[in-house]
Amino acid sequence: MRRSLRALVISAILLLSLITPWTLPQAAEQAGRAQPRIGLVLSGGGARGSAHIGVLKVLEELRIPIHVVVGTSMGSLVGGGYAAGLTPTVLEERVTQVNWDQLFNDDPPREDWPARRKQAYQTPTFDFTVGVRDGRPKLPKGAIAGQQVQLFFNDLVKGAETARDFDELPIPYRAVATNLENGQMAVFSRGPLPVAMRASMSVPGLFAPMEWDDHLYVDGGLVRNLPIDVAREMGVDVIIAVNLGSGYLPREDLGNILGVTGQMIAILTEQNVQVSLKELDPQRDVLILPELGDITAADFDRAPEAIAVGEAAARKMAPQLARYRLGEAEYAAWHRARFGPGRPARGVSEVRVVGLDRVNPAVFHNLAKAQEGKDLDRARLEADIQTIYGQGDYERISYHFEPQADDGDLLIVNAVEKAWGPGYLGFGLGLMTDNQGDSRFGLRGTYDQRWVNDLGAEIGVDLTLGNVPNLHAEFYQPFNLERAGFVAPYLDYGLNPESVFLNDQRIARYDVIRARLGVDLGTTLRETEFRIGPYLGQTEVSLDTGSPKLEEGRINDTGLRARLYYDTMDSAGVPREGTRIFLEARNPLEAMGADVQYTRALLTATTAHSFGPHTLALKVKGGTSFGEPMPYYDQFALGGFLNLSGYAYEQFRGEEMAFAGLAYYRQIAALPPPIGRGLYLGASLEAGWLSEGVVRSPITGERTVLSPEKSGFGASLFFGSDTWIGPAYLGLGVTGTGESTIYVLIGQP
């Protein structure tokens, strides 16, 4: 009996020792043991934070309930979505399918800009402005304002957008940020959920700080990248912490200010993480460490890899996690209560716009009219926000809801005007050489004063210094906020070097100085602007070098000018989609005091269409003087890169002109905002025709033919880029007769 009893005891001990942690919770459940409250803590890490989704997928497979979620930076994004009722599968779809390059580009697509703004950016400038306010220069708060990111967050957590207290979410939630004014940790426990997530992710220098309730907030990783203490304060028994690591940059990436700044943030982050890790209890808590290797904080395109790494790291800790596993029925009930469509906003009872200082609130009238007293049309709301944002006056426009009693929710649109406005200084650079004796360079500065009055009047000044100096100043006064009508007095003054060719040889160069003082009346219809008006004009011609062929002196060419501008291009530099049409007619009139009378009309049209990375762009031009003689400097010119490639810049002139060019280019690399759009390799075929290039003496009327009627052909191979300093090209041009030349262009001088 004793031997049998001893054997039975030993067998029982062995049997119990073989029971895995996977079966113990089941026994505990069957015994009615209370389930501990589990807090999930997700660290920051930029793109590395996609690994959190992989962890959530495994927690769901293991049937681990989460009672509290606390996140920092990217952890606040994933954690906020999960707490708002998004399953790991949905989160994975949203994070992997979103275009992060577009998300980090604040502006709406250029084709949605108002016509006036498109014209202002026709000549490329640095994607950088210095603000002028109260007579003092001011800089932007960050490289990215976060406009698109904010709208993405709004759409992501729309099922919980009416919850004001984060304890009311399907899973109670906290987002950790840093108060930029005092360096203290800020824990968001209430307010609009997208605002809390955005504040927690505001990486200093990259994202502009988030302003909310009269405070400025930046990335929470500076003070608490793994906020274990915040979860403890919410009354949890067990912590599941996911630490993504610092992601230190290698030495070769520390040779510039961006690398040094990123490494400094990583060092500060790692220091506070080490303090937080000491708060874990190895007997109860679980620490998951995804081994992300060379995936950096900026590698958002590698989100699927990071998710897989998160899954692997969580499975590695499955034995420890399984202690907190629920039974199938119990977990299913827990899951049903927390995940689903949620409670998105219902109808809109009222629209309230807050935050405006300089901008006339009536700008938002159409937005409010489309929503107020109706069911929420989210697509229309965000489209209207982007249209208004595209006017260029705002740092950020976001929205949130305040629940009302019965008749819908209060829609609050928070319009944050640029703190560094309302005056803006811009800078640019232009360089062009055709290696045939014509080089042009210029340093460009612009000043734009917005909202001079309640109708949105603007003062614009554009100054270029170099060998093609120019000054343009305009006062733009719309008659209403829709800009259906406007008046625009302006001043133009510039010098342009004009070459004279005889039998394909450059024989002279003249300086042509033009001065114009005029006023336009016009109208704007979305992508189209039309203007017409009189001007006082004077042109002075003087020989710079070479054989005298043109009559020197001053000519009064006062008259009328009309312009039509239509533009849906997605880029002013290297377009991939859209159409641009520009028609200008100028008519010096003897009745207004002009010394010569003629009509000059030029039509230029360009259209581009892309198939994946491939783009075809067609450009056609036509010019006429309607049979009237024109001064040589006003005749139409061909020659130069993509304008009869292979020939010198403006080598041929005539009083009638026709041109067509077809270009193909392939995008070989994408550039992240705000650096640029892409790098391209391409080729072109071009054909053009010009009537005789004739010089006439204003005194005797004698005709001198400098170039006969000509049809020409050109082709090119080029490397191009569309970057923050504008377009840049390195091209080889070949004429129809086999001559060649090399072109270098940066911006537009």
Side-chain angles (χ1 to χ4, degrees), residues 102-167:
Q102 290 182 3
L103 207 63
F104 291 150
N105 186 3
D106 288 320
D107 260 335
R110 182 181 180 274
E111 55 265 32
D112 294 334
W113 292 7
R116 178 168 174 78
R117 188 180 177 204
K118 290 176 184 176
Q119 292 181 80
Y121 284 83
Q122 213 31 76
T123 303
T125 60
F126 288 102
D127 188 14
F128 175 79
T129 56
V130 176
V132 179
R133 189 167 191 176
D134 299 327
R136 300 173 58 187
K138 300 193 69 174
L139 296 175
K141 299 174 185 176
I144 300 172
Q147 170 67 14
Q148 301 276 28
V149 171
Q150 187 72 63
L151 293 180
F152 174 70
F153 288 172
N154 273 100
D155 184 67
L156 184 70
V157 299
K158 58 190 175 187
E161 62 193 344
T162 57
R164 303 268 54 82
D165 190 321
F166 295 166
D167 286 338

Side-chain angles (χ1 to χ4, degrees), residues 349-401:
S349 60
E350 179 187 352
V351 177
R352 184 178 302 166
V353 180
V354 300
L356 295 179
D357 178 24
R358 303 179 299 271
V359 176
N360 189 333
V363 168
F364 290 81
H365 172 74
N366 289 336
L367 180 152
K369 183 179 179 181
Q371 303 292 337
E372 210 161 57
K374 304 173 184 176
D375 292 339
L376 172 65
D377 185 343
R378 191 181 303 274
R380 171 70 183 273
L381 171 63
E382 296 193 354
D384 286 345
I385 285 176
Q386 288 295 77
T387 297
I388 297 172
Y389 184 83
Q391 295 173 1
D393 298 307
Y394 310 90
E395 179 180 329
R396 185 181 65 259
I397 304 177
S398 59
Y399 67 93
H400 63 277
F401 296 89

Side-chain angles (χ1 to χ4, degrees), residues 649-666:
Y649 178 72
E650 295 188 345
Q651 182 171 335
F652 309 107
R653 290 180 180 271
E655 292 170 348
E656 311 289 334
M657 179 267 290
F659 170 86
L662 180 66
Y664 161 81
Y665 38 94
R666 185 184 193 279

Side-chain angles (χ1 to χ4, degrees), residues 20-25 54-55 57-64 240 284-289 310-326:
T20 68
W22 290 71
T23 60
L24 282 172
V55 172
K57 291 174 68 175
V58 174
L59 293 180
E60 191 173 72
E61 291 174 12
L62 297 179
R63 302 197 299 272
I64 309 299
I240 298 175
R284 295 180 301 164
D285 302 331
V286 181
L287 176 62
I288 300 175
L289 300 171
E311 288 189 59
R315 294 190 197 284
K316 188 176 180 180
M317 302 304 294
Q320 291 89 331
L321 291 169
R323 292 175 292 180
Y324 309 113
R325 189 179 191 183
L326 292 181

Side-chain angles (χ1 to χ4, degrees), residues 42 112 187 231 317 334 420 446 451 459 468 475-476 564 670 697:
L42 305 178
D112 294 334
V187 179
M317 302 304 294
W334 177 86
W420 58 97
T446 63
W451 288 97
I459 298 173
V468 191
F475 178 74
Y476 177 83
L564 175 69
S697 169

Side-chain angles (χ1 to χ4, degrees), residues 500-507 651-652 705-708 739:
V500 177
F501 289 82
L502 180 62
N503 298 323
D504 295 340
Q505 296 296 318
R506 193 190 317 266
I507 61 172
Q651 182 171 335
F652 309 107
V705 178
L706 295 178
S707 59
E739 299 168 325

Side-chain angles (χ1 to χ4, degrees), residues 574 576 613-616 641 663-669 678-684 716-722 728-731:
V574 186
R576 304 200 68 227
H614 309 280
T615 301
L616 285 176
F641 183 59
Y664 161 81
Y665 38 94
R666 185 184 193 279
Q667 184 173 4
I668 58 174
L679 305 177
Y680 306 87
L681 284 177
S684 70
S716 72
L717 296 173
F718 58 85
F719 168 76
S721 63
D722 199 358
Y729 289 95
L730 174 62

Side-chain angles (χ1 to χ4, degrees), residues 571-575 671 675-680 720-724 726-728:
S571 170
V574 186
L671 298 176
I675 296 175
R677 280 165 42 96
L679 305 177
Y680 306 87
S721 63
D722 199 358
T723 71
W724 71 311

